[in-house]
Coordinates of all heavy atoms in Angstrom, one line a residue:
S51 N -30.2 22.4 7.2 CA -31.5 21.9 6.6 C -31.4 22.1 5.1 O -32.2 21.4 4.3 CB -32.7 22.6 7.1 OG -32.6 24.0 7.0
S52 N -30.6 23.0 4.6 CA -30.5 23.3 3.1 C -29.7 22.3 2.4 O -29.7 22.4 1.1 CB -30.0 24.7 2.9 OG -28.6 24.8 3.5
L53 N -29.0 21.4 3.1 CA -28.1 20.4 2.4 C -28.7 19.0 2.4 O -29.4 18.6 3.3 CB -26.8 20.4 3.1 CG -26.0 21.7 3.3 CD1 -24.7 21.5 4.0 CD2 -25.8 22.5 1.9
D54 N -28.4 18.3 1.3 CA -28.7 16.9 1.3 C -27.6 16.1 2.1 O -26.6 16.7 2.5 CB -28.9 16.3 -0.1 CG -27.6 16.4 -0.9 OD1 -26.5 16.4 -0.4 OD2 -27.8 16.5 -2.2
A55 N -27.8 14.8 2.3 CA -26.9 14.1 3.1 C -25.5 14.1 2.6 O -24.5 14.2 3.4 CB -27.4 12.6 3.2
A56 N -25.3 13.9 1.3 CA -23.8 13.9 0.7 C -23.2 15.2 0.9 O -22.1 15.4 1.3 CB -24.0 13.5 -0.7
E57 N -23.9 16.3 0.8 CA -23.4 17.6 0.9 C -23.0 17.9 2.4 O -21.9 18.5 2.6 CB -24.3 18.8 0.4 CG -24.5 18.8 -1.1 CD -25.7 19.7 -1.5 OE1 -26.6 19.8 -0.7 OE2 -25.5 20.3 -2.6
A58 N -23.9 17.5 3.3 CA -23.7 17.8 4.7 C -22.4 17.0 5.1 O -21.6 17.6 5.8 CB -24.9 17.3 5.6
V59 N -22.4 15.7 4.8 CA -21.2 14.9 5.3 C -19.8 15.4 4.7 O -18.8 15.2 5.3 CB -21.4 13.4 5.0 CG1 -21.2 13.1 3.6 CG2 -20.6 12.5 5.9
S60 N -20.0 15.9 3.5 CA -18.7 16.4 2.8 C -18.1 17.5 3.6 O -16.8 17.8 3.5 CB -19.0 16.9 1.4 OG -19.7 18.1 1.4
L61 N -18.9 18.3 4.4 CA -18.3 19.4 5.2 C -17.7 19.0 6.6 O -16.9 19.8 7.2 CB -19.4 20.4 5.5 CG -19.7 21.4 4.4 CD1 -20.9 22.3 4.7 CD2 -18.5 22.2 4.0
L62 N -18.0 17.8 7.0 CA -17.5 17.4 8.3 C -16.1 17.6 8.7 O -15.7 18.4 9.4 CB -18.1 16.1 8.7 CG -19.5 15.9 9.0 CD1 -19.8 14.4 9.2 CD2 -20.0 16.7 10.1
A63 N -15.2 16.8 8.0 CA -13.9 16.8 8.3 C -13.2 18.1 7.7 O -12.5 18.8 8.5 CB -13.2 15.6 7.7
G64 N -13.4 18.4 6.5 CA -12.7 19.6 5.9 C -13.2 20.9 6.6 O -12.5 21.8 6.8
G65 N -14.5 21.0 6.8 CA -15.1 22.2 7.3 C -14.6 22.5 8.8 O -14.2 23.5 9.1
T66 N -14.6 21.4 9.6 CA -14.2 21.7 11.0 C -12.7 21.9 11.1 O -12.3 22.7 11.8 CB -14.5 20.4 11.9 OG1 -14.0 19.2 11.3 CG2 -16.0 20.4 12.0
T67 N -11.9 21.3 10.3 CA -10.5 21.5 10.3 C -10.1 22.9 9.8 O -9.4 23.6 10.5 CB -9.8 20.4 9.3 OG1 -10.0 19.2 9.8 CG2 -8.3 20.7 9.2
A68 N -10.7 23.3 8.7 CA -10.4 24.7 8.2 C -10.9 25.7 9.2 O -10.2 26.8 9.4 CB -11.2 24.9 6.9
L69 N -12.1 25.6 9.8 CA -12.6 26.5 10.8 C -11.7 26.7 12.0 O -11.3 27.7 12.5 CB -14.0 26.1 11.2 CG -14.7 27.1 12.2 CD1 -14.8 28.5 11.6 CD2 -16.1 26.5 12.5
V70 N -11.2 25.5 12.7 CA -10.3 25.5 13.7 C -9.0 26.1 13.3 O -8.4 27.0 14.1 CB -10.1 24.2 14.3 CG1 -9.0 24.2 15.3 CG2 -11.4 23.6 15.0
A71 N -8.5 25.9 12.2 CA -7.2 26.3 11.7 C -7.2 27.8 11.6 O -6.3 28.6 12.1 CB -6.9 25.7 10.3
L72 N -8.2 28.4 10.9 CA -8.1 29.9 10.6 C -8.8 30.7 11.7 O -8.2 31.8 12.0 CB -8.9 30.1 9.3 CG -8.3 29.5 8.1 CD1 -9.1 29.8 6.8 CD2 -6.9 29.9 7.8
R73 N -9.8 30.2 12.4 CA -10.4 31.0 13.4 C -9.6 30.8 14.8 O -9.3 31.9 15.5 CB -11.8 30.6 13.6 CG -12.6 31.4 14.7 CD -13.9 30.8 14.9 NE -13.8 29.5 15.6 CZ -14.9 28.7 16.0 NH1 -16.1 29.1 15.6 NH2 -14.7 27.6 16.6
D74 N -9.3 29.6 15.1 CA -8.8 29.4 16.5 C -7.3 29.3 16.6 O -6.7 29.8 17.6 CB -9.3 28.1 17.1 CG -11.0 28.1 17.1 OD1 -11.5 29.2 17.1 OD2 -11.6 27.0 17.0
K75 N -6.7 28.7 15.6 CA -5.2 28.6 15.6 C -4.5 29.9 15.1 O -3.6 30.4 15.6 CB -4.7 27.4 14.8 CG -5.3 26.0 15.4 CD -4.8 25.7 16.8 CE -5.3 24.3 17.3 NZ -4.8 24.0 18.6
A76 N -4.9 30.2 13.8 CA -4.3 31.4 13.2 C -4.9 32.7 13.6 O -4.2 33.8 13.5 CB -4.2 31.3 11.7
R77 N -6.1 32.7 14.1 CA -6.9 33.9 14.4 C -6.8 34.9 13.3 O -6.4 36.1 13.5 CB -6.3 34.5 15.7 CG -6.4 33.6 17.0 CD -5.9 34.3 18.2 NE -5.9 33.3 19.3 CZ -6.9 33.0 20.1 NH1 -8.1 33.6 19.7 NH2 -6.9 32.1 21.0
L78 N -7.2 34.5 12.2 CA -7.2 35.3 11.0 C -8.2 36.4 11.1 O -9.3 36.3 11.5 CB -7.7 34.4 9.8 CG -7.8 35.1 8.4 CD1 -6.4 35.5 7.9 CD2 -8.5 34.2 7.4
R79 N -7.7 37.6 10.7 CA -8.5 38.8 10.9 C -8.7 39.5 9.6 O -8.0 39.2 8.5 CB -7.7 39.9 11.8 CG -7.4 39.4 13.2 CD -6.8 40.4 14.1 NE -5.5 40.8 13.5 CZ -4.3 40.2 14.0 NH1 -4.4 39.2 14.9 NH2 -3.2 40.5 13.4
A80 N -9.7 40.4 9.5 CA -10.1 41.1 8.3 C -9.0 42.0 7.9 O -8.3 42.6 8.7 CB -11.4 41.9 8.6
G81 N -8.8 41.9 6.6 CA -7.7 42.8 6.0 C -6.3 42.1 5.9 O -5.4 42.6 5.3
E82 N -6.1 40.9 6.5 CA -4.9 40.2 6.5 C -4.8 39.4 5.1 O -5.8 39.2 4.5 CB -4.8 39.2 7.6 CG -4.6 39.9 8.9 CD -4.2 39.0 10.1 OE1 -4.8 37.9 10.2 OE2 -3.2 39.4 10.9

Side-chain angles (χ1 to χ4, degrees):
S51 59
S52 59
L53 304 183
D54 63 27
E57 291 172 328
V59 75
S60 74
L61 278 176
L62 285 176
T66 55
T67 299
L69 183 57
V70 171
L72 295 182
R73 184 191 66 183
D74 303 333
K75 301 294 183 179
R77 300 185 184 278
L78 179 67
R79 298 184 296 269
E82 291 192 313

